[in-house]
Amino acid sequence: MATATAATSALSSLTLRSPTPSFSVLFPKPTKPFSLYRSFHSLSLTTQAKASDIDTSFFENLNPEEDVVFDPPTLPEGYTPPPSFDDGPEETEEEIAAAYEELYGPAYSGISVLGNDVYVMDSKVKKTSAFGKVKKEKVRDGFEERVVQVRRVTKVVKGGKQLHFRAIVVVGDKQGQVGVGVGKAKEVVAAVQKSAVNARRNIITIPMTKYLTFPHRSEGDYGAAKVMLRPAVPGTGVIAGGAVRIVLEMAGVENALGKQLGSKNALNNARATVVAVQKMRQFREVAQERGIPMEELWK
């Protein structure tokens, strides 16, 4: 038994040794983890501040556990403290509505405290039609629109013919202001809108008496069209035809006589009516220019 134990110990001492060195001998385990940032940081020329360099003498005399008493500065002479918010009078509903409207604009209820346009918010909302196009709402400026004529016109170009629509529109407030406009576009709606904008740029004022008629007769021509206008007694109505009647009605004339003497072109007759109206003058204007009273005009 003793011999077997001795033989086992001898065999254990005779273990095979590898002739090659171990991996730990060739690449020893580093004592600290390798960091690329630390290696480049050590090469930088900037110096880092140490904890001993920071001056903390200001906080040496302060005790964090001690209660610090706030000592406010003395108030200047004649100082009057402002009234408290709760001490003032309560705001009325009109003042609150005015302050809200000043910040956020007029409300959708249709009531404006500051006199703003209640349709401003609605005009900014885009409304699309069934085809995805943005609808343009009518301008709310007090003028009414009436279409005189819509015609299809063509333009001959090198590649063929281009089809457009020409619209003639008369706008007026029926209080003495009227305008005639024309516009062309590839669609009828767009042509009417363009002509309405053009008519608003050509607004004129028609002189009228208290009986809503002309102060005197007048004639005007535009191109080959010639228009004759005559005043009428109350109850006569507007006796005219074509574009002349539409221009007078949109201006607010209720008693007048009109006649087309030349061409029957609607656009030229409408513009001839505007020319005839611009020649009219009020009696007070003539008397003021002559420097005489109005009673002497009929002598």
Side-chain angles (χ1 to χ4, degrees), residues 177-194:
Q177 290 187 333
V178 68
V180 179
V182 61
K184 295 179 182 179
K186 292 185 178 181
E187 297 180 1
V188 177
V189 178
V192 172
Q193 291 176 352
K194 290 176 65 176

Side-chain angles (χ1 to χ4, degrees), residues 22-291:
S22 63
F23 184 79
S24 62
V25 175
L26 294 177
F27 301 97
K29 188 176 182 181
T31 56
K32 294 182 179 180
F34 177 75
S35 175
L36 186 63
Y37 169 77
R38 189 174 298 173
S39 61
F40 281 105
H41 190 67
S42 61
L43 297 177
S44 62
L45 300 178
T46 58
T47 58
Q48 295 182 353
K50 298 180 182 180
S52 60
D53 297 339
I54 302 175
D55 186 13
T56 58
S57 59
F58 179 78
F59 301 98
E60 289 181 354
N61 300 328
L62 295 178
N63 185 8
E65 298 180 357
E66 183 180 358
D67 295 336
V68 179
V69 180
F70 176 70
D71 187 13
T74 57
L75 299 176
E77 297 182 359
Y79 174 77
T80 304
S84 177
F85 180 78
D86 298 331
D87 296 342
E90 295 184 359
E91 296 180 343
T92 61
E93 294 183 1
E94 289 76 10
E95 294 177 349
I96 296 175
Y100 184 88
E101 184 175 346
E102 185 176 359
L103 291 175
Y104 304 104
Y108 282 100
S109 59
I111 301 175
S112 175
V113 182
L114 302 179
N116 296 324
D117 187 7
V118 296
Y119 300 103
V120 173
M121 298 294 293
D122 296 336
S123 62
K124 295 181 180 179
V125 179
K126 292 185 177 180
K127 297 183 179 181
T128 57
S129 61
F131 298 98
K133 297 182 180 179
V134 179
K135 289 184 177 180
K136 293 185 179 180
E137 293 189 358
K138 293 184 179 180
V139 182
R140 303 173 186 266
D141 55 355
F143 287 92
E144 298 182 11
E145 303 175 5
R146 186 177 298 182
V147 179
V148 178
Q149 186 185 72
V150 176
R151 276 192 173 181
R152 186 178 62 179
V153 294
T154 56
K155 179 181 179 181
V156 180
V157 295
K158 183 178 179 180
K161 295 182 179 180
Q162 292 182 353
L163 178 65
H164 291 80
F165 292 94
R166 187 194 69 175
I168 304 172
V169 175
V170 178
V171 300
D173 59 352
K174 295 186 178 181
Q175 294 180 359
Q177 290 187 333
V178 68
V180 179
V182 61
K184 295 179 182 179
K186 292 185 178 181
E187 297 180 1
V188 177
V189 178
V192 172
Q193 291 176 352
K194 290 176 65 176
S195 57
V197 173
N198 181 254
R200 283 178 169 84
R201 295 174 182 174
N202 303 318
I203 296 293
I204 64 168
T205 303
I206 295 180
M208 292 188 296
T209 64
K210 63 179 180 179
Y211 301 109
L212 299 178
T213 186
F214 301 128
H216 57 84
R217 2 179 120 180
S218 178
E219 293 182 358
D221 54 352
Y222 189 92
K226 186 176 181 180
V227 173
M228 176 186 63
L229 300 179
R230 298 287 186 269
V233 297
T236 305
V238 178
I239 302 178
V244 180
R245 183 184 186 90
I246 297 177
V247 173
L248 298 181
E249 287 181 351
M250 297 303 294
V253 179
E254 295 184 0
N255 303 294
L257 302 174
K259 180 67 177 177
Q260 300 177 4
L261 301 176
S263 173
K264 302 299 180 182
N265 185 276
L267 179 59
N268 287 349
N269 276 287
R271 289 178 173 175
T273 306
V274 173
V275 172
V277 166
Q278 287 179 325
K279 294 180 180 179
M280 297 181 182
R281 302 169 66 188
Q282 293 282 11
F283 292 116
R284 60 175 176 271
E285 296 177 0
V286 178
Q288 187 176 4
E289 289 181 0
R290 297 182 184 179

